[in-house]
Amino acid sequence: GSQVRPLTTEPGVHHASPVWSPDGRYLLYFRNDIRQTDRQGAIMLADLGTDGHTMAIVEGNWPAWIP
């Protein structure tokens, strides 16, 4: 599309394993702040139907949509 914008711009943070929801509105991804070695990463949810608001769903693991 013509409205391209970055969803992740945090230096020192690793983002991985993006997975789209079946309807294309949400994006799950793994986020890990590599500067904080005492913490696990988190599965994040980005709501692209609004302003791209993101929130942590659960700490650890890798994201996947279950039908």
Side-chain angles (χ1 to χ4, degrees):
S2 62
Q3 298 176 339
V4 177
R5 63 186 154 103
L7 292 175
T8 58
T9 59
E10 302 169 89
V13 176
H14 176 72
H15 299 89
S17 300
V19 181
W20 288 101
S21 65
D23 64 3
R25 177 175 174 167
Y26 301 98
L27 181 67
L28 287 177
Y29 60 93
F30 180 74
R31 179 189 181 279
N32 189 25
D33 188 337
I34 58 176
R35 299 165 295 181
Q36 298 179 354
T37 58
D38 61 332
R39 294 182 54 193
Q40 289 185 347
I43 295 176
M44 304 295 290
L45 175 71
D47 182 351
L48 304 177
T50 60
D51 60 354
H53 175 74
T54 61
M55 60 187 267
I57 301 296
V58 66
E59 291 204 9
N61 300 316
W62 293 98
W65 291 103
I66 299 175

